[in-house]
Each structure stands twice: as structure tokens, then as C-alpha cells.
Amino acid sequence: MAEAAGPDGFELVRRGPDGRLRIVAIGTGRWNAAIDARFLGLLRENGNISASARAVGFTADAVWARRRKWPAFAEALEAVLEEAEIALEFRLVGMRNNLVPPAETGTVPTAADCHSIPFDPEFALRFLKWREDKRTGRARRGRNYGPPEPTIEEVRDSVLGKLAAIRRHREAGKSRGDGD
């Protein structure tokens, strides 16, 4: 379901419950296409979802809620995170090779004067590790509720070991003269 901002930014074209398009008045605290573009642009620079959300006047929870609700936004978010991953890798390599001067440190800009978010090399490394863990299936959100799922090879080895133990136990019983 697509949304389009009106010419003054205070109206939104949206499908109603009956499926027909309608114009809806919105307040200033609503996520719209302009905020979407600013957020994704900032995210492309730094990969920091929380800082990018704060810079456009929202929380990270609002980003995750929008990601769950809008599949197109979820796809755009993943694409931008891929681009951010590549950009951060090149930036870190450039800093390592002294090709790019280190960025100035400062405070996170407000939504009113937001043009960029300061580069944080430590965050960039954590972000790249998170992306690698996500790609390999090791990334977990929230609490860890126990050991990871065993692989099929681990399950097979466990079952074969137990069958061998049962076979040894039965053979030991037969050699003592015990019945099954």
C-alpha cells in the first residue's frame, strides 16, 4: 500500500478501509516520504539505525515498527544497509591507509540542522560484525534462550553414538549370559 505526501506536506493520499484512495490530513509527527528519504540517506552514510532515526525526529522503535508494517520499506532498509556496509568497509580501509582524514567528532545533529552524522569507527566495526553475523545466521535479537540448534551432522553423530552404546550394552549382557 503506497503513501504519497500532498503538496504542502500536511496531507497524505492513502487507501481507505473500502479500498478507495482518499486524502488524509496528517500532523507534523508522522512518517512520510520526505522523512523516509532523509532517513534512508543518513542510514546509507553511517549504518546506524538509531542515530539516523533520531536525526529525523523518530525513535529506532518507530523504524522497526515501520519495517514490520511496510514490506517496501523493509526491502529499502535492507538495500540501504547493504550499501552502508560497503561504504563503511571502504571508509575504514581508507582510514587505515591514511587515505581519508578522520571525521570531526561532535554531537548528533537535531532534525532541524541534520545533514550528516559523525563517523564513528568503533560503531562501524560493530555494524560490519553484525551484518556478517546476520549473513551467516549467527545474529540473534533479544535474549539467547538456550544453545543454538544443532546441525544435521551433530544430530547424526549423536544418534549413531547412542546406537553404538546400546549395541555395546547388549553385547556385554550376552557375554555375561543375561537375556535381552
Side-chain angles (χ1 to χ4, degrees), residues 149-165:
E149 291 287 324
T151 64
I152 191 69
E153 291 82 14
E154 293 171 339
V155 171
R156 184 194 67 220
D157 293 343
S158 173
V159 169
L160 290 176
K162 290 175 184 177
L163 289 174

Side-chain angles (χ1 to χ4, degrees), residues 4-161:
D8 60 0
F10 295 108
E11 296 173 338
L12 191 67
V13 177
R14 172 184 283 174
R15 290 203 183 275
D18 58 355
R20 294 175 36 187
L21 292 176
R22 61 184 180 164
I23 297 175
V24 180
I26 59 171
T28 57
R30 296 288 303 255
W31 197 291
N32 57 32
I35 291 174
D36 202 18
R38 279 181 47 210
F39 169 76
L40 292 175
L42 287 169
L43 186 61
R44 187 173 287 113
E45 285 180 16
N46 60 46
N48 190 334
I49 291 174
S50 297
S52 299
R54 280 191 309 271
V56 296
F58 287 89
T59 64
D61 291 339
V63 173
W64 296 118
R66 185 167 176 81
R67 181 177 180 261
R68 283 189 302 272
K69 187 175 180 182
W70 302 100
F73 180 76
E75 290 175 14
L77 186 68
E78 278 303 312
V80 167
L81 287 174
E82 288 289 331
E83 293 172 18
E85 181 178 3
I86 293 168
L88 289 176
E89 284 178 348
F90 279 112
R91 194 162 182 184
L92 285 171
V93 169
M95 285 180 70
R96 174 67 176 104
N97 295 328
N98 294 324
L99 299 174
V100 178
E104 297 176 12
T105 59
T107 61
V108 175
T110 63
D113 60 2
C114 172
H115 297 302
S116 181
I117 294 173
F119 180 68
D120 181 4
E122 290 180 30
F123 173 80
L125 289 171
R126 286 194 317 267
F127 171 79
L128 293 173
K129 181 181 181 328
W130 171 72
R131 292 293 293 173
E132 179 65 24
D133 288 348
K134 187 175 178 187
R135 193 175 11 268
T136 58
R138 292 182 302 217
R140 292 182 177 255
R141 284 193 57 164
R143 292 183 171 178
N144 186 0
Y145 290 106
E149 291 287 324
T151 64
I152 191 69
E153 291 82 14
E154 293 171 339
V155 171
R156 184 194 67 220
D157 293 343
S158 173
V159 169
L160 290 176

